[in-house]
Amino acid sequence: MSITINQPLDMHLHLRDEAMLKTVAPLSSHSFSGAIIMPNLVPPVSTKEELLAYKERIIHACGSDTFTPYMTLFFKPTYTKAFLESIKDELTAIKLYPAGITTNSEGGVSGFEVETLRETLEAMSELEIPLCIHGETNGFVMDREAEFVSIYEMLATNFPKLKIIMEHITTKESVEALDKFENLYATITLHHLLITLDDVAGGMLQPHLFCKPIAKRPEDREALRKVALNAHPKVMFGSDSAPHPQHAKESCGCAAGVFTAPIALQVLTELFMEHSTLKNLQAFVSDHAKAIYNHIKVPHKTVTLEKKPFVVPAKYDNVIPMYAGETLAYSILEIKG
Ligand code: NCD
Ligand code: ZN
Ligand code: ZN
């Protein structure tokens, strides 16, 4: 039996730059129709010139693949309505990072006072630009996301017309917030549907599974699975595939990020199949994203998978993927478009 996915989308992706971009971009552009591209380069993408130049470099790295990079800017509370109007047509969303909370987020937001954020967030609401957020406080590592829910609620209430995407949610508290506020949505990664903190640190420490937010408890994973596998309409796939060179992961002071781009569709197929929810995979990896990001144009592409062993390469250049060297149950059979 084969499974065909129409226009797969990855709504949270790190493509980096230079040599790393050349290594990883084709691994996404091969099997996805498009992806939301995170702006946390050094320095972050925060001007129109930087955004357009980065988009060109991405398109170049994707070669002849049919793939649309949906570009984002790194949020700053100094963005004016005039500036946003001038860039609106090139931009799909704006990504907000609390200062210093994750990789390359030092220039992020250091306080969440409504008045400081109001001008930019009201302009985004009026121009219908969604706000993507890495939602963690600087509290105790296991509590950071749950503590951030009150900030999501404050933003959702004060800016009711702003679409707010809670990125890479990992807790049952975030899942509950989805149904409380009309304008809150979420992405969920592959790895947070699969692993808990036990897989990261319960035995020998696994640097390639270390990411922000850290994987949580079994009951949190259960809450994520429930909404992803059952096609909750406010939830979409965002891999948060976040490559770092091997030396930065296997080192004293391991960089945060799991590299999943080359295995995402194969493993999602297996997961949905195991839970007898295969009919919902299309909604999770494409349809919901199209409905939530209702301004995007998605190029035609179909990806057909089949039950056939796929041995995950040990490395892609100097990057180690999740499940390196292991055998997956599903392979990509054919890509059209
Ligand atoms: C991401 C990265 O490396 O850019 N790392 C991660 O652990 N998820 C940043 C992010 O998405 O927070
Ligand atoms: Zn993040
Ligand atoms: Zn990310």
Side-chain angles (χ1 to χ4, degrees):
M1 195 190 105
S2 66
I3 300 104
T4 297
I5 305 172
N6 192 27
Q7 298 171 304
L9 292 168
D10 181 348
M11 304 313 273
H12 182 134
L13 178 64
H14 298 272
L15 289 181
R16 314 302 192 202
D17 215 340
E18 301 180 349
M20 180 68 90
L21 171 66
K22 291 195 175 71
T23 298
V24 302
L27 299 169
S28 288
S29 65
H30 175 65
S31 52
F32 286 88
S33 274
I36 296 269
I37 310 300
M38 290 296 136
N40 60 334
L41 304 182
V42 185
V45 181
S46 51
T47 67
K48 187 169 179 177
E49 292 69 34
E50 287 165 349
L51 182 142
L52 291 175
Y54 186 36
K55 186 176 181 181
E56 275 309 305
R57 297 197 295 278
I58 293 170
I59 290 170
H60 187 251
C62 296
S64 59
D65 287 344
T66 302
F67 178 82
T68 303
Y70 303 112
M71 302 307 291
T72 65
L73 275 184
F74 188 98
F75 179 89
K76 291 191 179 163
T78 48
Y79 291 150
T80 60
K81 186 166 183 200
F83 167 68
L84 294 176
E85 266 169 345
S86 75
I87 197 172
K88 182 179 182 298
D89 293 343
E90 309 295 343
L91 183 74
T92 302
I94 296 182
K95 176 67 186 285
L96 186 156
Y97 293 90
I101 208 68
T102 188
T103 311
N104 304 337
S105 63
E106 289 69 24
V109 169
S110 42
F112 285 86
E113 295 82 27
V114 183
E115 290 320 313
T116 319
L117 304 171
R118 186 176 297 284
E119 186 185 343
T120 307
L121 296 186
E122 277 180 357
M124 288 173 63
S125 304
E126 285 165 34
L127 298 170
E128 298 184 21
I129 302 170
L131 177 69
C132 302
I133 304 185
H134 178 118
E136 288 194 287
T137 66
N138 56 10
F140 179 66
V141 67
M142 288 293 278
D143 297 336
R144 287 176 189 178
E145 185 176 299
E147 286 175 4
F148 199 89
V149 169
S150 61
I151 300 176
Y152 280 130
E153 294 184 355
M154 179 276 283
L155 294 171
T157 313
N158 278 280
F159 305 97
K161 296 229 153 55
L162 180 67
K163 272 190 183 165
I164 300 171
I165 325 282
M166 303 187 285
E167 293 296 333
H168 48 44
I169 60 170
T170 63
T171 61
K172 58 181 179 354
E173 286 81 2
S174 299
V175 169
E176 284 160 13
L178 271 179
D179 291 325
K180 288 196 206 138
F181 295 88
E182 208 187 316
N183 55 333
L184 286 185
Y185 303 84
T187 56
I188 298 182
T189 73
L190 172 68
H191 48 285
H192 291 119
L193 290 171
L194 296 168
I195 65 171
T196 68
L197 185 57
D198 252 4
D199 298 289
V200 186
M204 300 270 268
L205 191 64
Q206 301 298 315
H208 298 291
L209 298 181
F210 172 65
C211 68
K212 306 274 177 91
I214 193 91
K216 304 285 185 320
R217 308 180 69 86
E219 52 270 37
D220 293 304
R221 180 179 59 182
E222 210 39 54
L224 300 176
R225 285 186 173 179
K226 197 169 170 202
V227 285
L229 294 166
N230 294 314
H232 189 300
K234 296 175 90 181
V235 161
M236 56 197 156
F237 176 61
S239 70
D240 192 19
S241 179
H244 292 275
Q246 183 173 8
H247 68 81
K249 294 291 289 175
E250 298 174 6
S251 84
C252 182
C254 164
V258 183
F259 178 50
T260 54
I263 60 154
L265 292 178
Q266 298 90 324
V267 180
L268 281 173
T269 301
E270 181 171 357
L271 180 74
F272 277 67
M273 190 65 118
E274 265 177 6
H275 288 83
S276 308
T277 53
L278 196 61
K279 64 177 191 324
N280 294 332
L281 181 59
Q282 175 66 35
F284 181 60
V285 294
S286 181
D287 300 352
H288 292 167
K290 282 198 265 182
I292 295 166
Y293 281 93
N294 53 348
H295 296 304
I296 61 172
K297 287 197 182 66
V298 185
H300 286 287
K301 178 181 276 187
T302 57
V303 179
T304 301
L305 298 105
E306 63 175 341
K307 190 149 194 226
K308 182 178 157 198
F310 170 59
V311 181
V312 181
K315 284 189 194 192
Y316 291 87
D317 294 337
N318 62 344
V319 199
I320 314 284
M322 188 179 186
Y323 294 139
E326 292 183 37
T327 304
L328 306 179
Y330 286 83
S331 311
I332 294 178
L333 173 67
E334 190 181 30
I335 298 176
K336 284 191 194 155

